[in-house]
Amino acid sequence: GGEVRGEAWGPGAEWLLEQLPRMLGAEDDPSAFVPRHRLLAVTAHRRPGLRLVRTGLVLESLIPSVLEQKVTTLEAYQAWRLLVRKFGEPAPGPAPGRMCVMPAARTWALIPSWEWHLAGVDDKRAATVLRAVRVAARLEEAARMEPAAARERLEVLPGVGPWTSAETVQRSHGAADAVTVGDLHLPGIVGFALGGDRYADDAEMLRLLEPYAGQRHRAARLVLLSGRVPERRASRMAPRGIERL
């Protein structure tokens, strides 16, 4: 019926309830998107509830994005789960068992090197996270900036490039135009769906998304939701498992 009931517990509960509408996409405007390809028109029609959410929390989006750099999704999710469960606090309220709150910036800064290794995180990604948490307050200020300015601030940090900044502001800002470049799979998926080119590169992907300037991330999301992806012609990238070294 268009209504949402929210309940919250613990420190920050009042803030969370105030932020809840934008976290659920209330500030997003799907009507700004005008599909110019049949696939996108059909997908938008079938997914009328799609909203780009805005969490307003930069570090909470940045750290998982850093963990996803140049590894499989499975490795990144496993690293996040291990680190948050080991160093985070139990979630307050009637939360599911073992659900934890993300560690505070100071806690991330104190994680020993061997714990990063045991979680399968290499030195480069760990160092990027450590640099980020040392300037956490400055990074969180970016939540009040426009997405482009926020990305500029994030990319000043060594180890954070266009891929990571886009992935971050897509969540922290609900940035409708922050298309991810430098991704291993996305150009081929978008190229195949919109142009029949499974071997498309970033330049070709951006060309195909140009008609949706201002809404390119939403267009890419709709492509992914359409299910029209090229057949896999090679085996999945194998996890490196550096924690076993």
Tab-separated table of all heavy atoms in Angstrom, residues 16-81:
chain	number	residue	atom	x	y	z
A	16	LEU	N	18.660	6.405	12.189
A	16	LEU	CA	18.311	5.423	11.168
A	16	LEU	C	16.875	5.597	10.698
A	16	LEU	O	16.588	5.544	9.499
A	16	LEU	CB	18.523	4.002	11.709
A	16	LEU	CG	18.179	2.859	10.747
A	16	LEU	CD1	19.044	2.921	9.514
A	16	LEU	CD2	18.330	1.517	11.431
A	17	LEU	N	15.966	5.820	11.633
A	17	LEU	CA	14.564	5.990	11.246
A	17	LEU	C	14.364	7.264	10.442
A	17	LEU	O	13.525	7.304	9.531
A	17	LEU	CB	13.681	5.995	12.495
A	17	LEU	CG	13.599	4.652	13.232
A	17	LEU	CD1	12.763	4.795	14.497
A	17	LEU	CD2	13.024	3.561	12.334
A	18	GLU	N	15.135	8.315	10.757
A	18	GLU	CA	15.053	9.544	9.968
A	18	GLU	C	15.552	9.319	8.544
A	18	GLU	O	15.032	9.902	7.584
A	18	GLU	CB	15.880	10.646	10.634
A	18	GLU	CG	15.290	11.160	11.944
A	18	GLU	CD	16.203	12.170	12.605
A	18	GLU	OE1	17.329	12.389	12.084
A	18	GLU	OE2	15.807	12.735	13.642
A	19	GLN	N	16.587	8.471	8.404
A	19	GLN	CA	17.184	8.214	7.096
A	19	GLN	C	16.438	7.146	6.296
A	19	GLN	O	16.680	6.989	5.094
A	19	GLN	CB	18.646	7.750	7.273
A	19	GLN	CG	19.543	8.737	7.977
A	19	GLN	CD	19.733	10.003	7.178
A	19	GLN	OE1	19.956	9.962	5.975
A	19	GLN	NE2	19.638	11.137	7.847
A	20	LEU	N	15.559	6.405	6.950
A	20	LEU	CA	14.957	5.230	6.332
A	20	LEU	C	14.295	5.504	4.977
A	20	LEU	O	14.483	4.720	4.042
A	20	LEU	CB	13.949	4.589	7.301
A	20	LEU	CG	13.393	3.229	6.876
A	20	LEU	CD1	14.507	2.207	6.717
A	20	LEU	CD2	12.377	2.716	7.905
A	21	PRO	N	13.531	6.595	4.816
A	21	PRO	CA	12.911	6.816	3.496
A	21	PRO	C	13.921	6.868	2.354
A	21	PRO	O	13.731	6.203	1.325
A	21	PRO	CB	12.192	8.162	3.672
A	21	PRO	CG	11.880	8.216	5.131
A	21	PRO	CD	13.074	7.583	5.812
A	22	ARG	N	15.018	7.637	2.526
A	22	ARG	CA	15.995	7.707	1.429
A	22	ARG	C	16.759	6.399	1.287
A	22	ARG	O	17.215	6.057	0.197
A	22	ARG	CB	16.946	8.883	1.615
A	22	ARG	CG	17.785	8.884	2.857
A	22	ARG	CD	18.777	10.056	2.846
A	22	ARG	NE	18.105	11.339	2.688
A	22	ARG	CZ	17.748	12.122	3.690
A	22	ARG	NH1	18.011	11.755	4.934
A	22	ARG	NH2	17.150	13.254	3.474
A	23	MET	N	16.907	5.647	2.406
A	23	MET	CA	17.556	4.331	2.305
A	23	MET	C	16.705	3.358	1.486
A	23	MET	O	17.223	2.385	0.937
A	23	MET	CB	17.806	3.760	3.692
A	23	MET	CG	18.948	4.427	4.438
A	23	MET	SD	19.266	3.611	6.023
A	23	MET	CE	20.842	4.368	6.461
A	24	LEU	N	15.405	3.616	1.434
A	24	LEU	CA	14.502	2.768	0.655
A	24	LEU	C	14.218	3.349	-0.727
A	24	LEU	O	13.395	2.820	-1.458
A	24	LEU	CB	13.195	2.566	1.417
A	24	LEU	CG	13.327	1.833	2.762
A	24	LEU	CD1	11.979	1.756	3.465
A	24	LEU	CD2	13.900	0.440	2.564
A	25	GLY	N	14.886	4.458	-1.058
A	25	GLY	CA	14.757	5.011	-2.397
A	25	GLY	C	13.665	6.051	-2.558
A	25	GLY	O	13.259	6.348	-3.689
A	26	ALA	N	13.193	6.646	-1.441
A	26	ALA	CA	12.119	7.635	-1.547
A	26	ALA	C	12.557	8.877	-2.306
A	26	ALA	O	11.724	9.565	-2.910
A	26	ALA	CB	11.634	8.030	-0.143
A	27	GLU	N	13.857	9.184	-2.302
A	27	GLU	CA	14.347	10.371	-3.002
A	27	GLU	C	14.702	10.083	-4.458
A	27	GLU	O	15.069	10.991	-5.200
A	27	GLU	CB	15.569	10.948	-2.276
A	27	GLU	CG	15.245	11.503	-0.899
A	27	GLU	CD	16.438	12.178	-0.261
A	27	GLU	OE1	17.560	12.066	-0.796
A	27	GLU	OE2	16.255	12.819	0.794
A	28	ASP	N	14.607	8.829	-4.852
A	28	ASP	CA	14.922	8.465	-6.234
A	28	ASP	C	13.744	8.813	-7.131
A	28	ASP	O	12.585	8.783	-6.708
A	28	ASP	CB	15.229	6.966	-6.313
A	28	ASP	CG	15.672	6.539	-7.692
A	28	ASP	OD1	16.406	7.310	-8.340
A	28	ASP	OD2	15.287	5.445	-8.132
A	29	ASP	N	14.029	9.134	-8.381
A	29	ASP	CA	12.983	9.497	-9.336
A	29	ASP	C	13.080	8.615	-10.578
A	29	ASP	O	13.719	8.982	-11.571
A	29	ASP	CB	13.116	10.971	-9.717
A	29	ASP	CG	12.026	11.405	-10.696
A	29	ASP	OD1	11.014	10.682	-10.822
A	29	ASP	OD2	12.191	12.465	-11.337
A	30	PRO	N	12.447	7.430	-10.549
A	30	PRO	CA	12.514	6.537	-11.710
A	30	PRO	C	11.921	7.152	-12.970
A	30	PRO	O	12.281	6.754	-14.084
A	30	PRO	CB	11.680	5.328	-11.265
A	30	PRO	CG	11.647	5.404	-9.773
A	30	PRO	CD	11.669	6.859	-9.446
A	31	SER	N	11.025	8.124	-12.825
A	31	SER	CA	10.395	8.725	-14.004
A	31	SER	C	11.384	9.529	-14.844
A	31	SER	O	11.096	9.861	-16.000
A	31	SER	CB	9.243	9.635	-13.575
A	31	SER	OG	9.720	10.755	-12.849
A	32	ALA	N	12.571	9.826	-14.268
A	32	ALA	CA	13.588	10.562	-15.029
A	32	ALA	C	14.222	9.697	-16.110
A	32	ALA	O	14.895	10.212	-17.004
A	32	ALA	CB	14.667	11.090	-14.086
A	33	PHE	N	14.001	8.392	-16.024
A	33	PHE	CA	14.594	7.476	-16.997
A	33	PHE	C	13.651	7.265	-18.167
A	33	PHE	O	12.489	6.894	-17.993
A	33	PHE	CB	14.901	6.133	-16.338
A	33	PHE	CG	15.496	5.121	-17.268
A	33	PHE	CD1	16.824	5.205	-17.656
A	33	PHE	CD2	14.725	4.078	-17.771
A	33	PHE	CE1	17.380	4.275	-18.517
A	33	PHE	CE2	15.269	3.143	-18.629
A	33	PHE	CZ	16.596	3.242	-19.005
A	34	VAL	N	14.157	7.512	-19.368
A	34	VAL	CA	13.364	7.312	-20.587
A	34	VAL	C	14.025	6.199	-21.400
A	34	VAL	O	15.086	6.402	-21.998
A	34	VAL	CB	13.288	8.599	-21.427
A	34	VAL	CG1	12.466	8.345	-22.691
A	34	VAL	CG2	12.693	9.737	-20.606
A	35	PRO	N	13.455	4.998	-21.428
A	35	PRO	CA	14.077	3.894	-22.177
A	35	PRO	C	14.051	4.141	-23.672
A	35	PRO	O	13.049	4.589	-24.223
A	35	PRO	CB	13.204	2.688	-21.796
A	35	PRO	CG	11.907	3.269	-21.366
A	35	PRO	CD	12.208	4.598	-20.766
A	36	ARG	N	15.180	3.858	-24.328
A	36	ARG	CA	15.293	4.026	-25.772
A	36	ARG	C	15.638	2.697	-26.454
A	36	ARG	O	16.000	2.681	-27.621
A	36	ARG	CB	16.353	5.079	-26.101
A	36	ARG	CG	16.066	6.438	-25.477
A	36	ARG	CD	17.165	7.430	-25.761
A	36	ARG	NE	16.931	8.686	-25.067
A	36	ARG	CZ	16.148	9.668	-25.501
A	36	ARG	NH1	15.511	9.523	-26.649
A	36	ARG	NH2	16.000	10.773	-24.801
A	37	HIS	N	15.543	1.633	-25.699
A	37	HIS	CA	15.805	0.293	-26.220
A	37	HIS	C	14.688	-0.606	-25.702
A	37	HIS	O	14.279	-0.498	-24.538
A	37	HIS	CB	17.169	-0.202	-25.745
A	37	HIS	CG	17.636	-1.460	-26.402
A	37	HIS	ND1	17.119	-2.699	-26.094
A	37	HIS	CD2	18.584	-1.671	-27.366
A	37	HIS	CE1	17.729	-3.616	-26.817
A	37	HIS	NE2	18.609	-3.024	-27.603
A	38	ARG	N	14.208	-1.482	-26.551
A	38	ARG	CA	13.058	-2.310	-26.175
A	38	ARG	C	13.338	-3.124	-24.910
A	38	ARG	O	12.473	-3.275	-24.050
A	38	ARG	CB	12.684	-3.250	-27.321
A	38	ARG	CG	11.417	-4.072	-27.044
A	38	ARG	CD	11.022	-4.935	-28.222
A	38	ARG	NE	9.795	-5.667	-27.939
A	38	ARG	CZ	9.745	-6.794	-27.227
A	38	ARG	NH1	10.867	-7.321	-26.758
A	38	ARG	NH2	8.584	-7.395	-27.006
A	39	LEU	N	14.546	-3.659	-24.793
A	39	LEU	CA	14.887	-4.474	-23.625
A	39	LEU	C	14.734	-3.671	-22.335
A	39	LEU	O	14.183	-4.152	-21.342
A	39	LEU	CB	16.322	-4.988	-23.752
A	39	LEU	CG	16.825	-5.804	-22.555
A	39	LEU	CD1	16.143	-7.154	-22.506
A	39	LEU	CD2	18.337	-5.968	-22.616
A	40	LEU	N	15.207	-2.421	-22.351
A	40	LEU	CA	15.121	-1.585	-21.160
A	40	LEU	C	13.678	-1.185	-20.876
A	40	LEU	O	13.264	-1.098	-19.714
A	40	LEU	CB	15.998	-0.354	-21.316
A	40	LEU	CG	17.497	-0.620	-21.466
A	40	LEU	CD1	18.265	0.695	-21.540
A	40	LEU	CD2	18.023	-1.470	-20.316
A	41	ALA	N	12.911	-0.935	-21.924
A	41	ALA	CA	11.504	-0.576	-21.737
A	41	ALA	C	10.731	-1.729	-21.097
A	41	ALA	O	9.947	-1.526	-20.158
A	41	ALA	CB	10.877	-0.191	-23.076
A	42	VAL	N	10.968	-2.934	-21.588
A	42	VAL	CA	10.275	-4.112	-21.043
A	42	VAL	C	10.703	-4.362	-19.592
A	42	VAL	O	9.872	-4.629	-18.724
A	42	VAL	CB	10.561	-5.349	-21.923
A	42	VAL	CG1	10.060	-6.616	-21.242
A	42	VAL	CG2	9.915	-5.191	-23.290
A	43	THR	N	12.006	-4.258	-19.336
A	43	THR	CA	12.504	-4.507	-17.979
A	43	THR	C	11.991	-3.462	-17.000
A	43	THR	O	11.592	-3.792	-15.881
A	43	THR	CB	14.043	-4.524	-17.964
A	43	THR	OG1	14.517	-5.453	-18.941
A	43	THR	CG2	14.559	-4.947	-16.593
A	44	ALA	N	11.982	-2.195	-17.403
A	44	ALA	CA	11.465	-1.136	-16.537
A	44	ALA	C	9.987	-1.361	-16.238
A	44	ALA	O	9.526	-1.109	-15.118
A	44	ALA	CB	11.675	0.220	-17.191
A	45	HIS	N	9.249	-1.853	-17.229
A	45	HIS	CA	7.823	-2.133	-17.029
A	45	HIS	C	7.631	-3.294	-16.053
A	45	HIS	O	6.711	-3.275	-15.226
A	45	HIS	CB	7.172	-2.460	-18.373
A	45	HIS	CG	5.730	-2.826	-18.258
A	45	HIS	ND1	4.745	-1.901	-17.987
A	45	HIS	CD2	5.097	-4.041	-18.370
A	45	HIS	CE1	3.572	-2.505	-17.936
A	45	HIS	NE2	3.754	-3.799	-18.168
A	46	ARG	N	8.508	-4.289	-16.133
A	46	ARG	CA	8.383	-5.466	-15.260
A	46	ARG	C	8.942	-5.223	-13.865
A	46	ARG	O	8.665	-5.991	-12.945
A	46	ARG	CB	9.112	-6.653	-15.903
A	46	ARG	CG	8.433	-7.179	-17.159
A	46	ARG	CD	9.248	-8.298	-17.794
A	46	ARG	NE	8.551	-8.858	-18.955
A	46	ARG	CZ	9.096	-9.763	-19.778
A	46	ARG	NH1	10.344	-10.189	-19.554
A	46	ARG	NH2	8.401	-10.230	-20.791
A	47	ARG	N	9.743	-4.175	-13.711
A	47	ARG	CA	10.364	-3.872	-12.411
A	47	ARG	C	9.960	-2.466	-11.952
A	47	ARG	O	10.805	-1.617	-11.705
A	47	ARG	CB	11.887	-3.939	-12.542
A	47	ARG	CG	12.419	-5.284	-13.024
A	47	ARG	CD	12.536	-6.248	-11.885
A	47	ARG	NE	13.165	-7.497	-12.300
A	47	ARG	CZ	13.658	-8.394	-11.466
A	47	ARG	NH1	13.600	-8.171	-10.164
A	47	ARG	NH2	14.220	-9.497	-11.912
A	48	PRO	N	8.668	-2.226	-11.786
A	48	PRO	CA	8.225	-0.865	-11.442
A	48	PRO	C	8.663	-0.415	-10.051
A	48	PRO	O	8.663	0.774	-9.759
A	48	PRO	CB	6.698	-0.969	-11.529
A	48	PRO	CG	6.410	-2.415	-11.251
A	48	PRO	CD	7.546	-3.169	-11.891
A	49	GLY	N	9.034	-1.351	-9.198
A	49	GLY	CA	9.430	-0.985	-7.841
A	49	GLY	C	10.907	-0.697	-7.677
A	49	GLY	O	11.363	-0.416	-6.567
A	50	LEU	N	11.677	-0.750	-8.777
A	50	LEU	CA	13.124	-0.527	-8.665
A	50	LEU	C	13.420	0.894	-8.207
A	50	LEU	O	12.959	1.860	-8.810
A	50	LEU	CB	13.811	-0.787	-10.010
A	50	LEU	CG	15.312	-0.469	-10.050
A	50	LEU	CD1	16.081	-1.393	-9.127
A	50	LEU	CD2	15.845	-0.556	-11.469
A	51	ARG	N	14.176	1.035	-7.126
A	51	ARG	CA	14.607	2.338	-6.623
A	51	ARG	C	16.106	2.283	-6.347
A	51	ARG	O	16.622	1.264	-5.873
A	51	ARG	CB	13.882	2.695	-5.329
A	51	ARG	CG	12.385	2.906	-5.462
A	51	ARG	CD	12.064	4.157	-6.263
A	51	ARG	NE	10.639	4.423	-6.303
A	51	ARG	CZ	9.795	3.872	-7.157
A	51	ARG	NH1	10.234	3.009	-8.052
A	51	ARG	NH2	8.513	4.180	-7.133
A	52	LEU	N	16.791	3.387	-6.645
A	52	LEU	CA	18.197	3.503	-6.297
A	52	LEU	C	18.260	4.093	-4.895
A	52	LEU	O	17.809	5.212	-4.671
A	52	LEU	CB	18.925	4.394	-7.308
A	52	LEU	CG	18.864	3.910	-8.763
A	52	LEU	CD1	19.638	4.861	-9.663
A	52	LEU	CD2	19.406	2.498	-8.890
A	53	VAL	N	18.807	3.343	-3.971
A	53	VAL	CA	18.784	3.751	-2.564
A	53	VAL	C	19.944	4.685	-2.249
A	53	VAL	O	20.959	4.709	-2.956
A	53	VAL	CB	18.835	2.516	-1.638
A	53	VAL	CG1	17.681	1.580	-1.956
A	53	VAL	CG2	20.157	1.767	-1.787
A	54	ARG	N	19.788	5.455	-1.177
A	54	ARG	CA	20.829	6.380	-0.733
A	54	ARG	C	21.052	6.147	0.761
A	54	ARG	O	20.223	6.527	1.584
A	54	ARG	CB	20.414	7.825	-0.995
A	54	ARG	CG	21.449	8.824	-0.524
A	54	ARG	CD	21.113	10.232	-0.968
A	54	ARG	NE	22.196	11.150	-0.625
A	54	ARG	CZ	22.364	12.343	-1.154
A	54	ARG	NH1	21.509	12.778	-2.065
A	54	ARG	NH2	23.362	13.115	-0.784
A	55	THR	N	22.176	5.519	1.106
A	55	THR	CA	22.427	5.200	2.511
A	55	THR	C	22.983	6.384	3.281
A	55	THR	O	22.809	6.473	4.495
A	55	THR	CB	23.431	4.039	2.638
A	55	THR	OG1	24.719	4.468	2.170
A	55	THR	CG2	22.973	2.820	1.845
A	56	GLY	N	23.700	7.282	2.595
A	56	GLY	CA	24.324	8.394	3.289
A	56	GLY	C	25.540	7.998	4.105
A	56	GLY	O	26.055	8.790	4.887
A	57	LEU	N	26.027	6.786	3.904
A	57	LEU	CA	27.166	6.250	4.653
A	57	LEU	C	28.263	5.857	3.668
A	57	LEU	O	28.120	4.874	2.946
A	57	LEU	CB	26.740	5.037	5.494
A	57	LEU	CG	25.657	5.321	6.539
A	57	LEU	CD1	25.128	4.017	7.116
A	57	LEU	CD2	26.197	6.217	7.645
A	58	VAL	N	29.335	6.617	3.654
A	58	VAL	CA	30.369	6.410	2.642
A	58	VAL	C	31.254	5.222	2.983
A	58	VAL	O	31.469	4.335	2.156
A	58	VAL	CB	31.220	7.691	2.475
A	58	VAL	CG1	32.392	7.435	1.531
A	58	VAL	CG2	30.354	8.826	1.957
A	59	LEU	N	31.794	5.181	4.197
A	59	LEU	CA	32.730	4.118	4.560
A	59	LEU	C	32.068	2.746	4.470
A	59	LEU	O	32.695	1.766	4.082
A	59	LEU	CB	33.256	4.356	5.982
A	59	LEU	CG	34.700	3.912	6.256
A	59	LEU	CD1	35.676	4.666	5.367
A	59	LEU	CD2	35.051	4.120	7.727
A	60	GLU	N	30.791	2.683	4.824
A	60	GLU	CA	30.065	1.420	4.804
A	60	GLU	C	29.946	0.861	3.389
A	60	GLU	O	29.781	-0.346	3.195
A	60	GLU	CB	28.672	1.620	5.409
A	60	GLU	CG	27.896	0.343	5.621
A	60	GLU	CD	26.544	0.605	6.258
A	60	GLU	OE1	25.596	0.918	5.514
A	60	GLU	OE2	26.440	0.515	7.491
A	61	SER	N	30.010	1.732	2.390
A	61	SER	CA	29.988	1.294	0.990
A	61	SER	C	31.392	1.170	0.416
A	61	SER	O	31.642	0.325	-0.450
A	61	SER	CB	29.178	2.284	0.146
A	61	SER	OG	27.844	2.337	0.575
A	62	LEU	N	32.305	2.022	0.894
A	62	LEU	CA	33.665	2.021	0.349
A	62	LEU	C	34.435	0.755	0.710
A	62	LEU	O	35.083	0.144	-0.154
A	62	LEU	CB	34.415	3.256	0.848
A	62	LEU	CG	35.897	3.346	0.449
A	62	LEU	CD1	36.056	3.406	-1.062
A	62	LEU	CD2	36.554	4.561	1.103
A	63	ILE	N	34.396	0.349	1.978
A	63	ILE	CA	35.203	-0.805	2.401
A	63	ILE	C	34.804	-2.084	1.659
A	63	ILE	O	35.683	-2.783	1.123
A	63	ILE	CB	35.140	-0.995	3.930
A	63	ILE	CG1	35.813	0.200	4.622
A	63	ILE	CG2	35.815	-2.300	4.348
A	63	ILE	CD1	35.732	0.168	6.140
A	64	PRO	N	33.516	-2.428	1.551
A	64	PRO	CA	33.175	-3.619	0.750
A	64	PRO	C	33.603	-3.499	-0.699
A	64	PRO	O	34.001	-4.489	-1.322
A	64	PRO	CB	31.653	-3.700	0.882
A	64	PRO	CG	31.324	-2.960	2.119
A	64	PRO	CD	32.325	-1.853	2.200
A	65	SER	N	33.538	-2.278	-1.252
A	65	SER	CA	33.960	-2.090	-2.644
A	65	SER	C	35.450	-2.338	-2.801
A	65	SER	O	35.896	-2.930	-3.789
A	65	SER	CB	33.605	-0.681	-3.121
A	65	SER	OG	32.207	-0.482	-3.097
A	66	VAL	N	36.247	-1.895	-1.833
A	66	VAL	CA	37.687	-2.158	-1.870
A	66	VAL	C	37.949	-3.660	-1.790
A	66	VAL	O	38.806	-4.204	-2.506
A	66	VAL	CB	38.408	-1.419	-0.720
A	66	VAL	CG1	39.869	-1.866	-0.629
A	66	VAL	CG2	38.328	0.088	-0.926
A	67	LEU	N	37.207	-4.352	-0.931
A	67	LEU	CA	37.399	-5.796	-0.790
A	67	LEU	C	37.053	-6.540	-2.075
A	67	LEU	O	37.551	-7.648	-2.308
A	67	LEU	CB	36.548	-6.336	0.369
A	67	LEU	CG	36.915	-5.834	1.767
A	67	LEU	CD1	35.989	-6.456	2.818
A	67	LEU	CD2	38.375	-6.149	2.114
A	68	GLU	N	36.221	-5.940	-2.927
A	68	GLU	CA	35.824	-6.585	-4.187
A	68	GLU	C	36.812	-6.348	-5.325
A	68	GLU	O	36.635	-6.902	-6.409
A	68	GLU	CB	34.443	-6.076	-4.606
A	68	GLU	CG	33.301	-6.614	-3.766
A	68	GLU	CD	31.950	-6.205	-4.337
A	68	GLU	OE1	31.539	-6.786	-5.368
A	68	GLU	OE2	31.316	-5.306	-3.761
A	69	GLN	N	37.828	-5.536	-5.098
A	69	GLN	CA	38.764	-5.213	-6.176
A	69	GLN	C	39.528	-6.450	-6.635
A	69	GLN	O	40.216	-7.105	-5.846
A	69	GLN	CB	39.764	-4.150	-5.701
A	69	GLN	CG	39.169	-2.782	-5.451
A	69	GLN	CD	40.182	-1.816	-4.861
A	69	GLN	OE1	41.280	-2.215	-4.465
A	69	GLN	NE2	39.834	-0.559	-4.795
A	70	LYS	N	39.384	-6.783	-7.926
A	70	LYS	CA	40.210	-7.797	-8.607
A	70	LYS	C	40.158	-9.185	-7.959
A	70	LYS	O	41.124	-9.950	-8.030
A	70	LYS	CB	41.664	-7.325	-8.691
A	70	LYS	CG	41.836	-6.005	-9.445
A	70	LYS	CD	43.286	-5.640	-9.606
A	70	LYS	CE	43.455	-4.273	-10.248
A	70	LYS	NZ	42.832	-4.160	-11.572
A	71	VAL	N	39.035	-9.520	-7.311
A	71	VAL	CA	38.858	-10.870	-6.782
A	71	VAL	C	37.457	-11.337	-7.154
A	71	VAL	O	36.627	-10.568	-7.634
A	71	VAL	CB	39.040	-10.932	-5.246
A	71	VAL	CG1	40.461	-10.546	-4.857
A	71	VAL	CG2	38.019	-10.046	-4.532
A	72	THR	N	37.169	-12.609	-6.915
A	72	THR	CA	35.830	-13.124	-7.176
A	72	THR	C	34.856	-12.590	-6.128
A	72	THR	O	35.240	-12.204	-5.025
A	72	THR	CB	35.819	-14.657	-7.137
A	72	THR	OG1	36.137	-15.091	-5.798
A	72	THR	CG2	36.840	-15.245	-8.103
A	73	THR	N	33.592	-12.574	-6.504
A	73	THR	CA	32.555	-12.127	-5.567
A	73	THR	C	32.559	-12.990	-4.306
A	73	THR	O	32.408	-12.478	-3.191
A	73	THR	CB	31.178	-12.201	-6.245
A	73	THR	OG1	31.190	-11.377	-7.418
A	73	THR	CG2	30.078	-11.725	-5.314
A	74	LEU	N	32.752	-14.286	-4.476
A	74	LEU	CA	32.776	-15.201	-3.335
A	74	LEU	C	33.877	-14.821	-2.340
A	74	LEU	O	33.662	-14.785	-1.129
A	74	LEU	CB	32.980	-16.638	-3.815
A	74	LEU	CG	33.046	-17.712	-2.730
A	74	LEU	CD1	31.733	-17.798	-1.981
A	74	LEU	CD2	33.395	-19.073	-3.337
A	75	GLU	N	35.069	-14.512	-2.872
A	75	GLU	CA	36.181	-14.124	-1.998
A	75	GLU	C	35.876	-12.833	-1.247
A	75	GLU	O	36.164	-12.700	-0.055
A	75	GLU	CB	37.454	-13.939	-2.827
A	75	GLU	CG	38.057	-15.221	-3.355
A	75	GLU	CD	39.231	-14.942	-4.268
A	75	GLU	OE1	39.010	-14.535	-5.420
A	75	GLU	OE2	40.385	-15.119	-3.823
A	76	ALA	N	35.295	-11.871	-1.955
A	76	ALA	CA	34.996	-10.580	-1.329
A	76	ALA	C	33.950	-10.725	-0.239
A	76	ALA	O	34.093	-10.176	0.864
A	76	ALA	CB	34.521	-9.592	-2.390
A	77	TYR	N	32.880	-11.471	-0.533
A	77	TYR	CA	31.824	-11.660	0.468
A	77	TYR	C	32.357	-12.408	1.682
A	77	TYR	O	32.001	-12.111	2.822
A	77	TYR	CB	30.656	-12.433	-0.146
A	77	TYR	CG	29.806	-11.633	-1.106
A	77	TYR	CD1	30.143	-10.323	-1.453
A	77	TYR	CD2	28.670	-12.170	-1.687
A	77	TYR	CE1	29.365	-9.583	-2.330
A	77	TYR	CE2	27.880	-11.441	-2.563
A	77	TYR	CZ	28.239	-10.146	-2.881
A	77	TYR	OH	27.470	-9.419	-3.754
A	78	GLN	N	33.210	-13.400	1.431
A	78	GLN	CA	33.768	-14.165	2.543
A	78	GLN	C	34.649	-13.287	3.422
A	78	GLN	O	34.578	-13.354	4.659
A	78	GLN	CB	34.581	-15.343	2.012
A	78	GLN	CG	35.274	-16.142	3.119
A	78	GLN	CD	36.013	-17.344	2.575
A	78	GLN	OE1	35.392	-18.367	2.315
A	78	GLN	NE2	37.316	-17.230	2.391
A	79	ALA	N	35.472	-12.437	2.805
A	79	ALA	CA	36.338	-11.547	3.571
A	79	ALA	C	35.509	-10.598	4.429
A	79	ALA	O	35.797	-10.383	5.613
A	79	ALA	CB	37.244	-10.756	2.630
A	80	TRP	N	34.477	-10.005	3.830
A	80	TRP	CA	33.598	-9.088	4.564
A	80	TRP	C	32.949	-9.794	5.750
A	80	TRP	O	32.929	-9.291	6.875
A	80	TRP	CB	32.551	-8.542	3.605
A	80	TRP	CG	31.490	-7.687	4.246
A	80	TRP	CD1	30.199	-8.031	4.485
A	80	TRP	CD2	31.624	-6.336	4.693
A	80	TRP	NE1	29.519	-6.985	5.060
A	80	TRP	CE2	30.375	-5.936	5.196
A	80	TRP	CE3	32.694	-5.438	4.714
A	80	TRP	CZ2	30.150	-4.659	5.724
A	80	TRP	CZ3	32.469	-4.170	5.235
A	80	TRP	CH2	31.220	-3.790	5.736
A	81	ARG	N	32.426	-10.997	5.492
A	81	ARG	CA	31.737	-11.741	6.549
A	81	ARG	C	32.686	-12.073	7.701
A	81	ARG	O	32.362	-11.865	8.881
A	81	ARG	CB	31.147	-13.033	5.965
A	81	ARG	CG	30.373	-13.872	6.995
A	81	ARG	CD	29.696	-15.059	6.343
A	81	ARG	NE	30.646	-15.998	5.782
A	81	ARG	CZ	30.847	-16.172	4.493
A	81	ARG	NH1	30.179	-15.453	3.614
A	81	ARG	NH2	31.717	-17.046	4.056
